[in-house]
Short mmCIF file of all heavy atoms in Angstrom, two decimals:
data_model
loop_
_atom_site.label_atom_id
_atom_site.label_comp_id
_atom_site.label_asym_id
_atom_site.label_seq_id
_atom_site.Cartn_x
_atom_site.Cartn_y
_atom_site.Cartn_z
N GLY A 107 82.81 -9.52 38.82
CA GLY A 107 84.21 -9.09 38.86
C GLY A 107 84.33 -7.70 38.27
O GLY A 107 84.60 -7.53 37.08
N ARG A 108 84.14 -6.70 39.10
CA ARG A 108 84.11 -5.31 38.64
C ARG A 108 85.52 -4.76 38.38
O ARG A 108 86.47 -5.14 39.04
CB ARG A 108 83.42 -4.43 39.69
CG ARG A 108 81.99 -4.82 40.02
CD ARG A 108 81.40 -3.80 40.99
NE ARG A 108 80.00 -4.08 41.30
CZ ARG A 108 79.61 -4.78 42.37
NH1 ARG A 108 80.51 -5.25 43.22
NH2 ARG A 108 78.33 -4.99 42.59
N ARG A 109 85.58 -3.88 37.39
CA ARG A 109 86.80 -3.10 37.14
C ARG A 109 88.02 -3.98 36.89
O ARG A 109 89.12 -3.67 37.31
CB ARG A 109 87.07 -2.15 38.31
CG ARG A 109 85.97 -1.14 38.57
CD ARG A 109 85.92 -0.08 37.51
NE ARG A 109 87.17 0.67 37.44
CZ ARG A 109 87.51 1.46 36.41
NH1 ARG A 109 86.72 1.56 35.36
NH2 ARG A 109 88.65 2.13 36.43
N ARG A 110 87.84 -5.08 36.19
CA ARG A 110 88.96 -5.96 35.85
C ARG A 110 89.46 -5.63 34.45
O ARG A 110 88.70 -5.32 33.54
CB ARG A 110 88.53 -7.43 35.91
CG ARG A 110 88.10 -7.94 37.27
CD ARG A 110 89.26 -7.99 38.25
NE ARG A 110 89.31 -6.81 39.10
CZ ARG A 110 90.30 -6.54 39.92
NH1 ARG A 110 91.35 -7.36 39.99
NH2 ARG A 110 90.29 -5.45 40.67
N ARG A 111 90.78 -5.73 34.29
CA ARG A 111 91.40 -5.51 32.99
C ARG A 111 91.40 -6.83 32.22
O ARG A 111 91.76 -7.87 32.75
CB ARG A 111 92.83 -5.01 33.16
CG ARG A 111 93.54 -4.69 31.86
CD ARG A 111 92.90 -3.56 31.11
NE ARG A 111 93.19 -2.24 31.69
CZ ARG A 111 92.66 -1.11 31.25
NH1 ARG A 111 91.80 -1.13 30.23
NH2 ARG A 111 92.96 0.03 31.82
N ILE A 112 90.98 -6.79 30.94
CA ILE A 112 90.82 -7.99 30.13
C ILE A 112 91.86 -8.05 29.02
O ILE A 112 92.10 -7.07 28.32
CB ILE A 112 89.41 -8.04 29.51
CG1 ILE A 112 88.34 -8.09 30.60
CG2 ILE A 112 89.27 -9.23 28.57
CD1 ILE A 112 88.43 -9.30 31.51
N VAL A 113 92.48 -9.22 28.85
CA VAL A 113 93.42 -9.47 27.77
C VAL A 113 92.95 -10.67 26.98
O VAL A 113 92.68 -11.73 27.55
CB VAL A 113 94.84 -9.71 28.30
CG1 VAL A 113 95.79 -10.07 27.16
CG2 VAL A 113 95.35 -8.49 29.05
N LEU A 114 92.84 -10.52 25.66
CA LEU A 114 92.44 -11.60 24.78
C LEU A 114 93.58 -11.96 23.84
O LEU A 114 94.35 -11.08 23.43
CB LEU A 114 91.21 -11.19 23.95
CG LEU A 114 89.94 -10.84 24.72
CD1 LEU A 114 88.86 -10.40 23.75
CD2 LEU A 114 89.47 -12.01 25.55
N ALA A 115 93.65 -13.23 23.49
CA ALA A 115 94.64 -13.70 22.52
C ALA A 115 93.91 -14.31 21.34
O ALA A 115 93.04 -15.17 21.51
CB ALA A 115 95.57 -14.73 23.15
N ILE A 116 94.24 -13.84 20.14
CA ILE A 116 93.68 -14.37 18.90
C ILE A 116 94.83 -14.52 17.92
O ILE A 116 95.51 -13.55 17.60
CB ILE A 116 92.60 -13.44 18.32
CG1 ILE A 116 91.49 -13.20 19.34
CG2 ILE A 116 92.03 -14.02 17.03
CD1 ILE A 116 90.51 -12.11 18.93
N GLY A 117 95.05 -15.74 17.46
CA GLY A 117 96.20 -15.97 16.59
C GLY A 117 97.48 -15.60 17.30
O GLY A 117 97.71 -15.96 18.46
N SER A 118 98.31 -14.82 16.64
CA SER A 118 99.60 -14.42 17.22
C SER A 118 99.53 -13.14 18.02
O SER A 118 100.54 -12.68 18.54
CB SER A 118 100.63 -14.26 16.09
OG SER A 118 100.22 -13.22 15.21
N ARG A 119 98.35 -12.57 18.13
CA ARG A 119 98.24 -11.24 18.73
C ARG A 119 97.49 -11.27 20.05
O ARG A 119 96.56 -12.07 20.24
CB ARG A 119 97.53 -10.28 17.77
CG ARG A 119 97.57 -8.83 18.24
CD ARG A 119 97.02 -7.90 17.19
NE ARG A 119 97.04 -6.51 17.66
CZ ARG A 119 96.53 -5.49 17.00
NH1 ARG A 119 95.96 -5.68 15.83
NH2 ARG A 119 96.59 -4.26 17.51
N GLN A 120 97.90 -10.39 20.97
CA GLN A 120 97.21 -10.21 22.23
C GLN A 120 96.62 -8.80 22.29
O GLN A 120 97.24 -7.84 21.83
CB GLN A 120 98.16 -10.44 23.40
CG GLN A 120 98.64 -11.88 23.51
CD GLN A 120 99.52 -12.11 24.71
OE1 GLN A 120 99.81 -11.17 25.46
NE2 GLN A 120 99.93 -13.34 24.92
N TYR A 121 95.42 -8.70 22.83
CA TYR A 121 94.71 -7.42 22.91
C TYR A 121 94.33 -7.13 24.35
O TYR A 121 93.78 -7.99 25.03
CB TYR A 121 93.41 -7.47 22.10
CG TYR A 121 93.54 -7.85 20.66
CD1 TYR A 121 93.63 -9.18 20.27
CD2 TYR A 121 93.52 -6.88 19.66
CE1 TYR A 121 93.72 -9.54 18.94
CE2 TYR A 121 93.60 -7.21 18.32
CZ TYR A 121 93.70 -8.56 17.97
OH TYR A 121 93.78 -8.90 16.64
N ARG A 122 94.61 -5.92 24.79
CA ARG A 122 94.09 -5.48 26.07
C ARG A 122 92.94 -4.54 25.80
O ARG A 122 93.12 -3.49 25.17
CB ARG A 122 95.17 -4.76 26.90
CG ARG A 122 94.74 -4.56 28.35
CD ARG A 122 95.73 -3.72 29.12
NE ARG A 122 95.60 -2.29 28.82
CZ ARG A 122 96.28 -1.34 29.44
NH1 ARG A 122 97.14 -1.66 30.39
NH2 ARG A 122 96.10 -0.07 29.12
N LEU A 123 91.73 -4.90 26.27
CA LEU A 123 90.58 -4.04 26.03
C LEU A 123 90.75 -2.72 26.77
O LEU A 123 91.20 -2.69 27.91
CB LEU A 123 89.30 -4.74 26.49
CG LEU A 123 88.98 -6.10 25.84
CD1 LEU A 123 87.59 -6.55 26.26
CD2 LEU A 123 89.10 -6.04 24.33
N ARG A 124 90.36 -1.67 26.13
CA ARG A 124 90.54 -0.35 26.74
C ARG A 124 89.65 -0.15 27.95
O ARG A 124 90.02 0.52 28.91
CB ARG A 124 90.25 0.73 25.69
CG ARG A 124 91.35 0.83 24.64
CD ARG A 124 91.09 2.01 23.72
NE ARG A 124 92.18 2.14 22.74
CZ ARG A 124 92.19 3.04 21.77
NH1 ARG A 124 91.18 3.89 21.65
NH2 ARG A 124 93.21 3.10 20.93
N ARG A 125 88.45 -0.68 27.91
CA ARG A 125 87.53 -0.51 29.03
C ARG A 125 87.59 -1.72 29.95
O ARG A 125 87.59 -2.87 29.51
CB ARG A 125 86.10 -0.32 28.51
CG ARG A 125 85.90 0.97 27.75
CD ARG A 125 84.44 1.16 27.38
NE ARG A 125 84.22 2.39 26.64
CZ ARG A 125 84.02 3.58 27.19
NH1 ARG A 125 84.00 3.68 28.52
NH2 ARG A 125 83.83 4.65 26.45
N ARG A 126 87.61 -1.47 31.23
CA ARG A 126 87.57 -2.54 32.22
C ARG A 126 86.16 -3.13 32.30
O ARG A 126 85.22 -2.60 31.69
CB ARG A 126 88.00 -2.00 33.59
CG ARG A 126 89.45 -1.55 33.66
CD ARG A 126 89.78 -0.97 35.02
NE ARG A 126 91.16 -0.55 35.10
CZ ARG A 126 92.16 -1.32 35.52
NH1 ARG A 126 91.89 -2.57 35.90
NH2 ARG A 126 93.39 -0.86 35.58
N THR A 127 86.01 -4.20 33.04
CA THR A 127 84.69 -4.79 33.20
C THR A 127 83.75 -3.81 33.90
O THR A 127 84.17 -3.00 34.74
CB THR A 127 84.76 -6.09 34.01
OG1 THR A 127 85.35 -5.82 35.29
CG2 THR A 127 85.57 -7.15 33.30
N ARG A 128 82.48 -3.92 33.59
CA ARG A 128 81.47 -3.03 34.16
C ARG A 128 81.08 -3.48 35.56
O ARG A 128 81.59 -4.47 36.07
CB ARG A 128 80.25 -3.00 33.23
CG ARG A 128 80.57 -2.49 31.83
CD ARG A 128 79.34 -2.44 30.96
NE ARG A 128 79.63 -1.90 29.64
CZ ARG A 128 78.72 -1.69 28.70
NH1 ARG A 128 77.44 -1.98 28.94
NH2 ARG A 128 79.06 -1.20 27.51
N ARG A 129 80.13 -2.77 36.13
CA ARG A 129 79.70 -3.09 37.49
C ARG A 129 79.12 -4.49 37.60
O ARG A 129 79.23 -5.13 38.64
CB ARG A 129 78.65 -2.07 37.96
CG ARG A 129 79.21 -0.68 38.19
CD ARG A 129 78.15 0.25 38.73
NE ARG A 129 77.67 -0.20 40.04
CZ ARG A 129 76.68 0.37 40.70
NH1 ARG A 129 76.03 1.40 40.16
NH2 ARG A 129 76.32 -0.08 41.88
N ASN A 130 78.49 -4.97 36.51
CA ASN A 130 77.94 -6.33 36.53
C ASN A 130 78.95 -7.38 36.08
O ASN A 130 78.60 -8.55 35.91
CB ASN A 130 76.68 -6.41 35.68
CG ASN A 130 76.95 -6.09 34.21
OD1 ASN A 130 78.08 -5.91 33.79
ND2 ASN A 130 75.88 -6.02 33.42
N GLY A 131 80.20 -6.99 35.87
CA GLY A 131 81.25 -7.91 35.48
C GLY A 131 81.38 -8.13 33.99
O GLY A 131 82.29 -8.85 33.54
N SER A 132 80.51 -7.52 33.18
CA SER A 132 80.56 -7.74 31.73
C SER A 132 81.65 -6.88 31.09
O SER A 132 82.06 -5.86 31.63
CB SER A 132 79.21 -7.41 31.11
OG SER A 132 78.91 -6.04 31.25
N PHE A 133 82.10 -7.32 29.93
CA PHE A 133 83.07 -6.53 29.16
C PHE A 133 82.76 -6.67 27.67
O PHE A 133 82.20 -7.67 27.22
CB PHE A 133 84.51 -6.95 29.45
CG PHE A 133 84.82 -8.39 29.14
CD1 PHE A 133 85.19 -8.79 27.87
CD2 PHE A 133 84.74 -9.35 30.14
CE1 PHE A 133 85.49 -10.13 27.59
CE2 PHE A 133 85.03 -10.69 29.87
CZ PHE A 133 85.40 -11.07 28.60
N TYR A 134 83.14 -5.64 26.93
CA TYR A 134 82.89 -5.59 25.49
C TYR A 134 84.12 -4.98 24.81
O TYR A 134 84.85 -4.20 25.40
CB TYR A 134 81.67 -4.71 25.17
CG TYR A 134 80.39 -5.16 25.81
CD1 TYR A 134 80.07 -4.76 27.11
CD2 TYR A 134 79.48 -5.96 25.12
CE1 TYR A 134 78.88 -5.16 27.71
CE2 TYR A 134 78.29 -6.37 25.72
CZ TYR A 134 78.00 -5.96 27.01
OH TYR A 134 76.83 -6.36 27.61
N GLY A 135 84.29 -5.31 23.55
CA GLY A 135 85.34 -4.69 22.76
C GLY A 135 85.14 -4.97 21.29
O GLY A 135 84.40 -5.88 20.91
N THR A 136 85.75 -4.16 20.45
CA THR A 136 85.74 -4.37 19.01
C THR A 136 87.18 -4.47 18.54
O THR A 136 87.98 -3.56 18.78
CB THR A 136 85.03 -3.21 18.28
OG1 THR A 136 83.72 -3.04 18.83
CG2 THR A 136 84.92 -3.51 16.79
N LEU A 137 87.51 -5.57 17.88
CA LEU A 137 88.90 -5.86 17.54
C LEU A 137 89.08 -6.00 16.04
O LEU A 137 88.20 -6.53 15.34
CB LEU A 137 89.36 -7.16 18.20
CG LEU A 137 89.07 -7.35 19.69
CD1 LEU A 137 89.55 -8.73 20.12
CD2 LEU A 137 89.72 -6.26 20.51
N THR A 138 90.23 -5.57 15.55
CA THR A 138 90.67 -5.90 14.19
C THR A 138 91.50 -7.18 14.29
O THR A 138 92.52 -7.21 14.97
CB THR A 138 91.50 -4.76 13.58
OG1 THR A 138 90.69 -3.59 13.48
CG2 THR A 138 92.00 -5.15 12.19
N LEU A 139 91.06 -8.23 13.62
CA LEU A 139 91.67 -9.54 13.81
C LEU A 139 92.95 -9.68 13.00
O LEU A 139 93.08 -9.13 11.90
CB LEU A 139 90.67 -10.63 13.40
CG LEU A 139 89.32 -10.57 14.14
CD1 LEU A 139 88.39 -11.66 13.64
CD2 LEU A 139 89.53 -10.70 15.64
N PRO A 140 93.93 -10.42 13.53
CA PRO A 140 95.22 -10.57 12.85
C PRO A 140 95.09 -11.42 11.58
O PRO A 140 94.33 -12.38 11.52
CB PRO A 140 96.08 -11.28 13.90
CG PRO A 140 95.12 -11.99 14.79
CD PRO A 140 93.89 -11.12 14.82
N GLN A 141 95.87 -11.05 10.58
CA GLN A 141 95.79 -11.75 9.29
C GLN A 141 96.22 -13.21 9.40
O GLN A 141 95.70 -14.07 8.69
CB GLN A 141 96.64 -11.02 8.24
CG GLN A 141 96.07 -9.67 7.85
CD GLN A 141 96.84 -9.03 6.71
OE1 GLN A 141 97.88 -9.55 6.29
NE2 GLN A 141 96.35 -7.90 6.22
N ASP A 142 97.16 -13.52 10.29
CA ASP A 142 97.61 -14.91 10.39
C ASP A 142 96.50 -15.82 10.90
O ASP A 142 96.47 -17.01 10.59
CB ASP A 142 98.84 -15.02 11.31
CG ASP A 142 98.49 -14.73 12.76
OD1 ASP A 142 97.94 -13.65 13.03
OD2 ASP A 142 98.77 -15.58 13.62
N ALA A 143 95.55 -15.27 11.66
CA ALA A 143 94.46 -16.07 12.19
C ALA A 143 93.30 -16.19 11.21
O ALA A 143 92.54 -17.15 11.26
CB ALA A 143 93.97 -15.48 13.50
N THR A 144 93.15 -15.21 10.33
CA THR A 144 91.99 -15.18 9.44
C THR A 144 92.33 -15.52 8.00
O THR A 144 91.44 -15.56 7.15
CB THR A 144 91.33 -13.80 9.47
OG1 THR A 144 92.30 -12.80 9.08
CG2 THR A 144 90.83 -13.47 10.88
N ALA A 145 93.59 -15.78 7.70
CA ALA A 145 94.01 -16.01 6.32
C ALA A 145 93.26 -17.17 5.67
O ALA A 145 92.93 -17.13 4.48
CB ALA A 145 95.52 -16.27 6.26
N ALA A 146 92.97 -18.21 6.47
CA ALA A 146 92.30 -19.39 5.92
C ALA A 146 90.78 -19.28 5.96
O ALA A 146 90.08 -20.17 5.49
CB ALA A 146 92.74 -20.64 6.67
N CYS A 147 90.25 -18.19 6.53
CA CYS A 147 88.80 -18.04 6.66
C CYS A 147 88.21 -17.61 5.32
O CYS A 147 88.73 -16.73 4.64
CB CYS A 147 88.47 -17.00 7.72
SG CYS A 147 88.99 -17.50 9.38
N SER A 148 87.11 -18.22 4.96
CA SER A 148 86.46 -17.92 3.69
C SER A 148 85.60 -16.68 3.80
O SER A 148 84.93 -16.46 4.80
CB SER A 148 85.59 -19.11 3.26
OG SER A 148 84.81 -18.77 2.13
N LYS A 149 85.65 -15.85 2.75
CA LYS A 149 84.77 -14.69 2.70
C LYS A 149 83.40 -15.07 2.14
O LYS A 149 82.52 -14.22 2.01
CB LYS A 149 85.40 -13.58 1.87
CG LYS A 149 86.69 -13.00 2.45
CD LYS A 149 87.19 -11.85 1.62
CE LYS A 149 88.45 -11.21 2.20
NZ LYS A 149 89.60 -12.15 2.22
N ASN A 150 83.22 -16.36 1.78
CA ASN A 150 81.97 -16.81 1.18
C ASN A 150 81.17 -17.78 2.05
O ASN A 150 80.01 -18.06 1.75
CB ASN A 150 82.25 -17.49 -0.17
CG ASN A 150 82.89 -16.53 -1.17
OD1 ASN A 150 82.54 -15.36 -1.22
ND2 ASN A 150 83.83 -17.03 -1.95
N ALA A 151 81.77 -18.30 3.11
CA ALA A 151 81.08 -19.28 3.95
C ALA A 151 81.37 -18.98 5.42
O ALA A 151 82.48 -18.58 5.76
CB ALA A 151 81.54 -20.71 3.61
N PRO A 152 80.39 -19.15 6.29
CA PRO A 152 80.62 -18.90 7.73
C PRO A 152 81.72 -19.80 8.28
O PRO A 152 81.88 -20.95 7.86
CB PRO A 152 79.26 -19.25 8.37
CG PRO A 152 78.27 -19.11 7.26
CD PRO A 152 79.00 -19.54 6.02
N SER A 153 82.48 -19.28 9.22
CA SER A 153 83.54 -20.05 9.86
C SER A 153 83.71 -19.55 11.29
O SER A 153 83.16 -18.53 11.67
CB SER A 153 84.85 -19.94 9.08
OG SER A 153 85.23 -18.58 8.94
N ALA A 154 84.48 -20.29 12.07
CA ALA A 154 84.70 -19.92 13.47
C ALA A 154 86.18 -19.75 13.75
O ALA A 154 87.02 -20.46 13.19
CB ALA A 154 84.10 -20.97 14.40
N LEU A 155 86.50 -18.80 14.62
CA LEU A 155 87.87 -18.50 14.98
C LEU A 155 88.00 -18.56 16.50
O LEU A 155 87.18 -18.01 17.22
CB LEU A 155 88.24 -17.10 14.49
CG LEU A 155 89.67 -16.60 14.72
CD1 LEU A 155 90.65 -17.44 13.93
CD2 LEU A 155 89.77 -15.13 14.32
N ALA A 156 89.03 -19.25 16.98
CA ALA A 156 89.21 -19.41 18.42
C ALA A 156 89.82 -18.15 19.03
O ALA A 156 90.65 -17.46 18.42
CB ALA A 156 90.11 -20.61 18.70
N MET A 157 89.41 -17.85 20.27
CA MET A 157 90.02 -16.78 21.04
C MET A 157 90.17 -17.25 22.48
O MET A 157 89.51 -18.19 22.91
CB MET A 157 89.18 -15.50 20.98
CG MET A 157 87.78 -15.63 21.52
SD MET A 157 86.89 -14.03 21.49
CE MET A 157 85.20 -14.59 21.78
N GLN A 158 91.06 -16.61 23.21
CA GLN A 158 91.29 -16.96 24.60
C GLN A 158 91.34 -15.70 25.46
O GLN A 158 91.85 -14.67 25.03
CB GLN A 158 92.63 -17.70 24.75
CG GLN A 158 92.72 -19.02 24.05
CD GLN A 158 94.05 -19.69 24.33
OE1 GLN A 158 94.31 -20.13 25.44
NE2 GLN A 158 94.90 -19.75 23.32
N LEU A 159 90.79 -15.80 26.66
CA LEU A 159 90.95 -14.76 27.65
C LEU A 159 92.10 -15.19 28.56
O LEU A 159 92.04 -16.25 29.18
CB LEU A 159 89.66 -14.58 28.46
CG LEU A 159 89.59 -13.40 29.42
CD1 LEU A 159 88.14 -12.98 29.65
CD2 LEU A 159 90.22 -13.73 30.76
N LEU A 160 93.13 -14.37 28.61
CA LEU A 160 94.36 -14.75 29.30
C LEU A 160 94.39 -14.23 30.73
O LEU A 160 93.89 -13.15 31.04
CB LEU A 160 95.57 -14.20 28.55
CG LEU A 160 95.72 -14.65 27.09
CD1 LEU A 160 96.95 -14.00 26.48
CD2 LEU A 160 95.82 -16.17 27.01
#
Side-chain angles (χ1 to χ4, degrees):
R108 301 184 177 95
R109 300 288 300 165
R110 297 292 97 188
R111 183 64 75 185
I112 298 299
V113 176
L114 299 177
I116 303 170
S118 62
R119 189 173 179 185
Q120 294 183 357
Y121 304 82
R122 193 186 78 174
L123 302 188
R124 287 186 178 177
R125 294 185 180 275
R126 294 178 180 269
T127 57
R128 299 181 178 183
R129 291 183 63 185
N130 62 6
S132 65
F133 60 86
Y134 301 85
T136 305
L137 311 178
T138 298
L139 304 178
Q141 291 186 354
D142 69 304
T144 58
C147 296
S148 172
K149 296 184 178 64
N150 298 323
S153 56
L155 183 65
M157 60 177 166
Q158 297 183 69
L159 188 155
L160 301 179

